[in-house]
Amino acid sequence: MQPLTHRGRLFACQSIRDVGDKMVLSLASAPAFIVERDETRCIACQVCVRQCANDVHYYDEVDGSVRSHDAQCVGCHRCVTLCPTHALTVRTNPLEFRPHANWTGEALRNIYKQAETGGMLLTGMGCDQPFRIYWDHMVLNASQVTNPSIDPMREPMELVTYLGAKPERLEFRPEMVSAGEDGERPSGSCMALTTEASPQLELQVPIMFSAMSYGSISLNAVLSLARAAEAAGTYYNTGEGGLHQALYPYGAHTIAQVASGRFGVHPQYLDTAAALEIKIGQGAKPGIGGHLPGEKVDLDVSRTRMIPAGSDALSPAPHHDIYSIEDLRQLIYALKEATGYRKPVSVKVAAVHNIAPIASGIVRAGADIVAIDGLRGGTGAAPTMIRNNVGIPIELALAAVDQRLREEGIRHRASLVVGGSVRNSADIVKAIALGADAVYIATSALVAMGCHLCQRCYTGKCNWGIATQDPYLTKRLNPDMGARRLTNLLRAWSLEIKEMMGGMGINSVESLRGNRDHLRGVGLNQVELDALGIKSAGF
Amino acid sequence: MPEQRLTDTVLTAPEGVHVVEQVVLESRGVPYRELNARIHGLVEEGVSAIRLNGLIGQRYIGTNLRHPVHLTIDGVPGNDLGAFMDGPTIEVLGSAQDGCGNTMNGGAIIIHGSAGDIIGHSMRGGEIYVRDSVGYRVGIHMKEYESMRPVIVIGGTAQHFLGEYMAGGILIVLGTNLGSGVAHPSHYVGTGMHGGAIYLRGRVDTNLVGKEVGQMPLGPEDHLILQRYVGEYCRYFRADAEALLRGPFTKLAPLTKRPYGRLYAY
Ligand code: SF4
Ligand code: SF4
């Protein structure tokens, strides 16, 4: 058999790793995973060799068998999923370091890695630390005896949601009818509405795909999101990567971001989108900017971001024209002016300590939508320490913001969209009951497209064809299939949301919004219950 | 708002003086939303020159205008003058405030006076000429793309963080208000810069420039750039091009396209 080459590299003679003059004491490259190949099942078809962009599997010409470099495995399960004979198992390496509750294997490995490179630790996806997940400590209500539940299979259930500022009050004037020579007179029976509505986004389901830029994920992944948003009657978000030409047909379902780098922000971009979102922060990395390394800025990405190919795309940490709420107002209104006041303007922030007054300021600055991203929100790349330690859980942020906006009498002036790890339909029902108008999902959407949470999005070697621009990998994700899977997910979640609402005796998502009476806390202390504004179960 | 039509001459880049029919809007006290809607309406009608009289602080003038219309502003426009615009020429007979040319794509802004902070923030194309001095963070994150190459020419001096994060384009500061032997006052010039070029006329204290930029020798191409844009500045503001071009000029350019290359452990 011929040795297989994968992007020009020969594998057969690679079994002895070159340690060179590195200090071998580090264990930084000791395997995190063990790849087990059941030799009785393996037929040496080399599917795994071709599928792994991390070069874990290789064909050994000498003895005609397939072997692995375990240390390169990131645990993405591509090979396990695709092996035709189910010969592969990938396990966490159990005996890697001596057990220590404080000095975990990961803590040690991080230090070794940093001692070797002098660099910041980088990671992908959302915070993987065991912080309390408040969704899992809230339970929902259901009707029993005293009020009837509703069967969503037989009765209409309204999930349609409108995002945008709602008027303070409605004003009417008497409807005029023609009175011959006297001109007009009040009809006496009808009134005409005179209040002008602010622009609104109409969502068939209270779920949108949150910001993921073309550049951080592949065009096929963005196309999947755009097509699914169109099919399901909702929206996807460009992130700060500009709008690829192939995405213009989905403009009516596009929320276009304006971030600190202003990449790809030009007149047609503003025209095409249905709404604009000023990105201030992101849950995975509050307070820091973004950095798409030059090697990921290929020709197509360069065209979309409107920067030269190969140059770094740096998004400064702050918008340098926004140092205050007044400055934010200036950019909000610049965008409204630029779009003739026809499009809602959203402002996205990360959930941080003083999120309630910050959100109040954003609403007062004129935002139509406030999007809040929690501690567990995902990312294509973020410094590990920031991802794991900065920000607060979305459940607490949402409860605080909704409460504050109600107290100030300005809750109607903006819609509230939350993200930062919404994993299933129950999380959505709980979020809406806590006060959200809709949720943003991103990690869930990627999982629907095949992501296995290996957290290595920053390497650009996503074996699932999502967080990569390598054409060899991106073609693994067919945008029509991606869109179908995403549409299925939204359909499934809508069915479940309707079931849960029906069980509570609610037939419209409007009546669930901010209805915290339908939530109870389990296993929470009084401070947490107060922060969430809910009662303990049993009360 | 009172409005009249008359014939006047305007200066346009690069053709020179033109005689046009001009619509004059008396803008004093007119809210910006109303004023901008009227400007957009006139431009859609096909009006090629508009003069705004008595403008005081109204924001967003010319935002997202896409026609080669000529706006003359008699007064002081507010923040974000010409934001996102693509094509018009705006001439301010006075000073401008913050954020002028924000994320601008094309066209020209000519300011017969001074301008505030973050002039040309993230601009991708077009030209801004300021006769006198400017505030902080001017030219921040300017970028160029294919044939689009933004240009800012400042007659006087700039405050700190000039050209911060600059990713492309040309920034020229002529320092005409500097006393002899006095260095440019701007600190942290070109911090985080990874593209484009900054030309400073007069003495530069190199301790004050960002660590990502270096002084480069001026080549023939640089002289062509200076001749072209300093020449343009002199045409707008009737200054002596020959005297200004005598320099000396310092060119600052990024030492690397990847100022943040070795940051991560992988
Ligand atoms: S994909 Fe499975 S059967 Fe094929 S070589 Fe790899 S382990 Fe063996
Ligand atoms: S998107 Fe790809 S690289 Fe990122 S976590 Fe998912 S599978 Fe891994």
Side-chain angles (χ1 to χ4, degrees):
Chain A
M1 220 184 256
Q2 284 293 307
L4 252 188
T5 58
H6 177 48
R7 269 163 297 148
R9 285 178 64 181
L10 261 177
F11 286 85
C13 51
Q14 239 206 329
S15 42
I16 302 166
R17 208 162 43 248
D18 170 26
V19 287
D21 54 1
K22 272 188 193 163
M23 281 171 72
V24 193
L25 63 85
S26 82
L27 283 182
S29 53
F33 298 96
I34 294 176
V35 180
E36 288 175 349
R37 178 177 285 96
D38 183 342
E39 299 295 347
T40 62
R41 289 176 178 233
C42 178
I43 53 170
C45 68
Q46 301 185 54
V47 162
C48 50
V49 180
R50 285 186 292 270
Q51 289 294 326
C52 186
N54 299 303
D55 302 340
V56 171
H57 308 281
Y58 64 97
Y59 179 67
D60 192 329
E61 246 191 311
V62 182
D63 63 6
S65 63
V66 177
R67 298 175 184 279
S68 318
H69 293 304
D70 293 13
Q72 274 141 249
C73 179
V74 300
C76 80
H77 297 158
R78 178 80 187 177
C79 57
V80 178
T81 314
L82 268 77
C83 171
T85 61
H86 304 295
L88 289 168
T89 309
V90 171
R91 289 190 294 122
T92 309
N93 190 349
L95 271 177
E96 191 186 1
F97 295 98
R98 190 192 184 291
H100 195 301
N102 186 34
W103 289 103
T104 58
E106 197 194 345
L108 299 178
R109 206 199 321 263
N110 285 346
I111 291 180
Y112 295 139
K113 209 187 285 176
Q114 295 192 287
E116 242 163 47
T117 62
M120 290 194 273
L121 299 166
L122 205 60
T123 187
M125 291 320 234
C127 174
D128 63 355
Q129 300 300 297
F131 287 111
R132 172 163 280 183
I133 296 167
Y134 287 93
W135 301 133
D136 298 339
H137 289 266
M138 287 187 275
V139 287
L140 292 163
N141 195 26
S143 307
Q144 298 293 296
V145 183
T146 53
N147 61 334
S149 46
I150 304 170
D151 179 357
M153 299 300 149
R154 290 188 301 109
E155 294 185 49
M157 277 282 167
E158 192 61 273
L159 290 190
V160 174
T161 299
Y162 292 91
L163 301 184
K166 306 296 184 291
E168 197 96 16
R169 67 180 78 82
L170 295 181
E171 278 167 0
F172 300 88
R173 58 168 171 72
E175 194 187 57
M176 306 302 274
V177 291
S178 158
E181 281 171 16
D182 302 343
E184 291 189 324
R185 62 169 175 76
S187 73
S189 57
C190 276
M191 300 291 278
L193 183 65
T194 59
T195 310
E196 259 193 52
S198 301
Q200 306 282 323
L201 293 182
E202 184 182 328
L203 280 61
Q204 299 307 314
V205 287
I207 310 166
M208 301 190 289
F209 300 126
S210 82
M212 286 176 276
S213 67
Y214 167 49
S216 74
I217 60 173
S218 66
L219 184 60
N220 280 353
V222 188
L223 269 172
S224 307
L225 294 163
R227 287 181 193 169
E230 185 177 58
T234 183
Y235 298 84
Y236 79 100
N237 189 313
T238 60
E240 54 186 297
L243 197 61
H244 188 276
Q245 221 45 47
L247 295 162
Y248 274 80
Y250 307 95
H253 294 274
T254 303
I255 299 178
Q257 259 192 359
V258 175
S260 63
R262 306 283 156 86
F263 294 112
V265 179
H266 58 93
Q268 287 76 32
Y269 180 76
L270 301 175
D271 276 1
T272 305
L276 301 170
E277 181 167 273
I278 299 172
K279 181 202 173 181
I280 302 288
Q282 182 179 346
K285 41 180 171 178
I288 70 164
H291 173 197
L292 188 70
E295 55 263 29
K296 288 197 189 170
V297 182
D298 64 16
L299 264 184
D300 231 19
V301 171
S302 115
R303 234 172 265 138
T304 307
R305 297 206 174 205
M306 303 181 85
I307 51 170
S311 80
D312 277 13
L314 300 179
S315 293
H319 286 249
H320 279 292
D321 51 352
I322 305 179
Y323 288 3
S324 66
I325 290 292
E326 290 73 20
D327 290 347
L328 174 65
R329 184 179 180 82
Q330 185 176 316
L331 183 58
I332 291 174
Y333 277 87
L335 293 174
K336 290 190 179 192
E337 277 287 330
T339 52
Y341 296 85
R342 285 186 297 268
K343 300 180 181 186
V345 175
S346 166
V347 174
K348 177 178 177 180
V349 285
V352 289
H353 301 181
N354 290 316
I355 189 65
I358 293 166
S360 164
I362 293 171
V363 175
R364 289 168 195 280
D368 300 287
I369 300 166
V370 183
I372 308 175
D373 196 14
L375 170 70
R376 297 186 303 267
T379 177
T384 312
M385 290 302 133
I386 301 227
R387 184 196 75 170
N388 289 355
N389 296 287
V390 183
I392 65 171
I394 191 59
E395 303 91 318
L396 298 173
L398 164 60
V401 168
D402 180 67
Q403 184 67 26
R404 174 73 171 248
L405 298 182
R406 281 173 196 279
E407 280 165 13
E408 293 184 356
I410 55 172
R411 178 64 184 83
H412 63 283
R413 277 168 51 182
S415 295
L416 213 49
V417 178
V418 299
S421 208
V422 169
R423 303 155 302 166
N424 52 47
S425 58
D427 289 355
I428 298 173
V429 173
K430 291 169 190 175
I432 294 173
L434 272 182
D437 288 275
V439 299
Y440 258 147
I441 61 165
T443 305
S444 308
L446 297 189
V447 172
M449 289 191 274
C451 163
H452 278 55
L453 263 303
C454 72
Q455 310 187 32
R456 296 297 180 99
C457 319
Y458 60 93
T459 62
K461 292 186 193 165
C462 175
N463 277 327
W464 294 92
I466 299 169
T468 175
Q469 305 303 326
D470 182 343
Y472 181 78
L473 302 172
T474 56
K475 66 169 189 256
R476 295 177 182 180
L477 179 65
N478 172 319
D480 284 324
M481 268 158 69
R484 194 169 332 126
R485 295 178 65 86
L486 289 164
T487 319
N488 280 345
L489 180 74
L490 293 185
R491 174 176 186 272
W493 284 8
S494 306
L495 290 172
E496 289 173 343
I497 293 171
K498 288 178 182 176
E499 271 316 323
M500 282 181 264
M501 278 172 33
M504 296 178 207
I506 288 175
N507 62 6
S508 160
V509 74
E510 289 292 331
S511 329
L512 177 65
R513 188 154 300 123
N515 198 338
R516 297 191 196 178
D517 235 8
H518 281 294
L519 294 170
R520 288 291 187 274
V522 175
L524 297 175
N525 64 36
Q526 194 56 47
V527 176
E528 292 168 312
L529 290 168
D530 291 346
L532 290 165
I534 60 172
K535 289 182 193 155
S536 168
F539 287 92
Chain B
M1 82 199 78
E3 195 172 304
Q4 49 170 314
R5 292 181 188 233
L6 45 84
T7 309
D8 204 351
T9 55
V10 296
L11 203 57
T12 49
E15 302 88 356
V17 178
H18 277 248
V19 179
V20 289
E21 204 214 13
Q22 198 177 38
V23 177
V24 181
L25 300 176
E26 294 303 329
S27 348
R28 185 178 297 264
V30 181
Y32 66 75
R33 188 168 170 180
E34 202 179 306
L35 190 57
N36 284 322
R38 185 68 195 128
I39 295 170
H40 275 267
L42 287 171
V43 169
E44 258 147 52
E45 263 176 43
V47 171
S48 64
I50 301 170
R51 185 186 179 92
L52 307 175
N53 277 346
L55 197 74
I56 304 179
Q58 283 98 327
R59 291 180 171 180
Y60 315 122
I61 303 297
T63 290
N64 205 13
L65 271 183
R66 317 216 185 133
H67 297 73
V69 58
H70 193 285
L71 289 185
T72 308
I73 295 175
D74 192 353
V76 180
N79 293 353
D80 273 351
L81 172 75
F84 310 111
M85 84 173 193
D86 195 8
T89 301
I90 300 182
E91 196 171 356
V92 182
L93 310 177
S95 292
Q97 298 190 23
D98 299 344
C100 121
N102 188 350
T103 323
M104 159 176 171
N105 222 40
I109 300 179
I110 301 139
I111 298 162
H112 293 263
S114 287
D117 300 341
I118 48 166
I119 306 306
H121 179 335
S122 291
M123 85 191 258
R124 188 184 300 116
E127 296 166 19
I128 299 178
Y129 296 89
V130 183
R131 192 193 65 198
D132 303 334
S133 292
V134 294
Y136 295 84
R137 295 205 144 93
V138 167
I140 185 166
H141 220 313
M142 275 167 84
K143 35 179 100 61
E144 60 191 47
Y145 171 66
E146 292 183 345
S147 62
M148 299 168 85
R149 194 176 194 191
V151 178
I152 300 180
V153 185
I154 296 149
T157 47
Q159 287 298 339
H160 309 328
F161 300 105
L162 176 74
E164 193 182 19
Y165 288 110
M166 192 165 155
I170 297 162
L171 248 171
I172 302 172
V173 186
L174 297 172
T176 51
N177 58 339
L178 288 173
S180 77
V182 180
H184 277 268
S186 186
H187 296 195
Y188 306 105
V189 181
T191 304
M193 182 171 173
H194 51 293
I198 301 177
Y199 301 92
L200 299 165
R201 181 178 159 276
R203 205 165 84 75
V204 178
D205 184 346
T206 42
N207 289 332
L208 301 181
V209 306
K211 61 181 186 317
E212 294 84 3
V213 292
Q215 278 190 56
M216 309 287 164
L218 270 74
E221 202 187 315
D222 298 308
H223 288 293
L224 283 179
I225 287 174
L226 288 170
Q227 263 162 26
R228 173 162 172 203
Y229 296 110
V230 174
E232 201 75 333
Y233 172 91
C234 292
R235 191 167 71 83
Y236 289 135
F237 304 122
R238 296 180 204 290
D240 181 352
E242 212 175 302
L244 286 177
L245 282 169
R246 248 176 260 137
F249 283 94
T250 303
K251 178 186 179 183
L252 299 177
L255 295 168
T256 156
K257 267 184 157 184
R258 309 281 315 273
Y260 304 113
R262 242 198 95 246
L263 275 183
Y264 303 107
Y266 75 95

